[in-house]
């Protein structure tokens, strides 16, 4: 269960992690708790799954290439094809969605050619067409995810 | 915008997340032979230049109770899409907003937005209210709710990948 300090940890530090030698100490000072407690709470939230990691969100394509891909998978083959897609380390999101195009995934890699090779590999292994929908323009200003605790 | 090889190594090393220990930037640098001062200076610079959009606690919507995840796609005339994209990208309901190519005849939509909510109904309400408020309700759109999440993790860019 989360208490008010957990919530503040999640709300107040999605951006602007202090870039200092001991960031968790600095966070603790803001919250009025010790460095050890910040670390323990983050570890607990990570194990519970509500924190993915303490890290960076990198602007798309600043440090590599990526695309969104979609496939129309026959329902009886969905588990099999989804597993095949997820097995690629370059795939970082993979969802079933409500549409004839029912499998949607993001491929991110060091280069455009590596992304293309992953899409080719998935098409070849599955025998299905893969729709490649690369980002053309990015409009979002990422301020983190505003959580409402209602 | 120039991102050099050392920056890429650093972004790659960071992609698995910062260690939960007292001196995480020193530990991060150690894995790629970079001292702590350089790690901090490069991260500051990458953040200032917008290469790193945000640095901090990255939450998982689903585990926090935001179970409904809708990819809302729009068919916007090409000459309007940048203008509408900026408007929706700034809307508080939207957590991602990208222009992508149409793939006719299979796929007529060229603007993608993501909306998270506690359940379907709250997403549908938020979407309808946003569409009215932002003046985009008349454009064709389609909502693709997620049914199952097979995989979700951070993107692994950079050279560290080559070693994995």
């Amino acid at each position: 269960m989360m208490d008010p300090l957990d919530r503040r940890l999640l709300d107040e530090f999605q951006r602007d992690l202090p870039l200092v030698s001991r960031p968790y100490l600095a966070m603790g000072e803001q919250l009025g708790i010790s460095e050890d407690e910040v670390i323990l709470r983050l570890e607990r939230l990570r194990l519970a799954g509500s924190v993915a990691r303490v890290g960076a969100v990198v602007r798309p394509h600043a440090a590599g290439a990526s695309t969104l891909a979609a496939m129309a998978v026959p329902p009886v083959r969905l588990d099999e094809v989804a597993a095949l897609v997820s097995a690629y380390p370059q795939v970082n999101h993979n969802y079933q969605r409500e549409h004839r195009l029912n499998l949607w995934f993001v491929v991110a890699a060091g280069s455009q050619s590596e992304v293309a090779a992953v899409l080719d590999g998935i098409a070849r292994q599955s025998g299905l067409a893969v729709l490649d929908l690369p980002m053309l323009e990015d409009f979002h200003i990422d301020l983190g995810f505003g959580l409402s605790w209602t | 915008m120039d991102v050099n090889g050392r920056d890429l190594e650093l972004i790659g090393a960071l992609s698995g997340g910062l260690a939960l220990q007292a001196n995480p930037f020193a530990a991060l640098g150690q894995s790629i032979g970079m001292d702590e001062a350089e790690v901090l200076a490069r991260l500051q610079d990458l953040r200032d230049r917008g290469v790193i959009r945000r640095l901090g606690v990255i939450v998982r919507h689903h585990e926090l109770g935001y179970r409904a995840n809708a990819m809302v796609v729009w068919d916007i005339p090409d000459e309007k899409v940048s203008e509408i994209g900026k408007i929706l990208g700034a809307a508080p309901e939207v957590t991602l907003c990208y222009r992508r190519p149409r793939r006719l005849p299979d796929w007529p939509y060229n603007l993608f937005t993501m909306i998270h909510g506690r359940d379907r109904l709250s997403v549908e309400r938020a979407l309808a209210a946003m569409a009215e408020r932002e003046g985009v309700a008349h454009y064709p759109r389609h909502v693709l709710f997620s049914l199952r999440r097979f995989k979700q993790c951070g993107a692994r860019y950079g050279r560290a990948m080559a070693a994995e």
Side-chain angles (χ1 to χ4, degrees):
Chain A
M1 286 308 292
M2 285 197 286
D3 64 18
L5 275 170
D6 288 337
R7 293 172 186 182
R8 288 189 59 195
L9 262 177
L10 297 184
D11 269 335
E12 294 174 26
F13 298 98
Q14 291 190 29
R15 303 160 49 71
D16 303 331
L17 180 80
L19 277 175
V20 295
S21 184
R22 297 175 72 177
Y24 305 121
L25 181 68
M27 290 165 71
E29 280 165 4
Q30 184 172 326
L31 296 171
I33 57 178
S34 70
E35 178 183 46
D36 282 346
E37 188 174 349
V38 170
I39 289 171
L40 282 173
R41 282 175 181 269
L42 286 172
E43 183 65 27
R44 183 164 48 71
L45 290 165
R46 201 180 60 77
L47 289 172
S50 34
V51 166
R53 64 190 185 282
V54 177
V57 175
V58 178
R59 202 190 45 180
H61 300 189
S66 68
T67 198
L68 175 69
M71 298 172 77
V73 181
V76 291
R77 291 192 60 198
L78 191 60
D79 284 349
E80 166 220 336
V81 175
L84 179 164
V85 168
S86 292
Y88 281 85
Q90 295 92 342
V91 170
N92 60 63
H93 287 77
N94 185 18
Y95 284 91
Q96 180 189 0
R97 293 192 180 277
E98 284 177 337
H99 195 271
R100 191 181 68 81
L101 290 161
N102 54 356
L103 192 64
W104 291 79
F105 52 95
V106 174
V107 179
S111 68
Q112 201 60 62
S113 59
E114 190 183 344
V115 169
V118 169
L119 297 184
D120 285 349
I122 289 169
R124 209 176 42 244
Q125 280 179 276
S126 65
L128 298 168
V130 178
L131 214 58
D132 179 14
L133 299 165
M135 185 193 84
L136 300 178
E137 235 179 312
D138 176 9
F139 302 109
H140 187 57
I141 303 149
D142 191 343
L143 301 177
F145 187 65
L147 298 167
S148 56
W149 304 100
T150 49
Chain B
M1 181 169 313
D2 191 41
V3 181
N4 68 32
R6 286 299 264 167
D7 290 332
L8 280 182
E9 277 185 77
L10 182 58
I11 288 168
L14 186 56
S15 61
L18 206 56
L20 297 176
Q21 62 181 68
N23 301 100
F25 296 112
L28 181 66
Q30 216 160 36
S31 67
I32 51 170
M34 192 182 288
D35 69 32
E36 186 188 49
E38 187 179 350
V39 169
L40 290 170
R42 282 185 187 271
L43 288 177
Q44 185 68 58
D45 177 57
L46 289 166
R47 188 150 83 177
D48 291 345
R49 290 192 293 145
V51 175
I52 290 179
R53 284 198 159 159
R54 62 185 174 95
L55 186 65
V57 176
I58 296 171
V59 303
R60 286 175 175 267
H61 305 118
H62 186 85
E63 282 73 4
L64 284 166
Y66 293 80
R67 296 283 155 92
N69 153 339
M71 189 172 80
V72 183
V73 293
W74 311 75
D75 178 5
I76 309 283
D78 288 341
E79 68 277 11
K80 298 277 280 182
V81 68
S82 292
E83 177 198 333
I84 304 284
K86 284 184 195 115
I87 291 170
L88 296 186
E93 294 86 354
V94 168
T95 54
L96 285 174
C97 185
Y98 297 139
R99 180 164 73 86
R100 299 183 184 278
R102 294 187 180 85
R103 298 294 189 205
L104 298 172
D106 292 335
W107 188 255
Y109 303 104
N110 61 341
L111 188 66
F112 288 60
T113 53
M114 195 66 75
I115 300 183
H116 289 86
R118 294 200 177 276
D119 51 44
R120 280 176 98 96
L121 189 61
S122 62
V123 167
E124 280 162 0
R125 281 185 181 144
L127 169 60
M130 179 185 81
E132 283 299 324
R133 189 188 69 230
E134 307 295 356
V136 295
H138 58 293
Y139 293 114
R141 64 171 190 253
H142 192 81
V143 183
L144 288 81
F145 277 103
S146 69
L147 296 177
R148 264 194 291 175
R149 178 178 59 173
F150 295 109
K151 187 175 185 182
Q152 184 205 14
C153 60
R156 297 195 286 179
Y157 294 109
R159 298 200 174 150
M161 286 178 25
E164 285 173 18

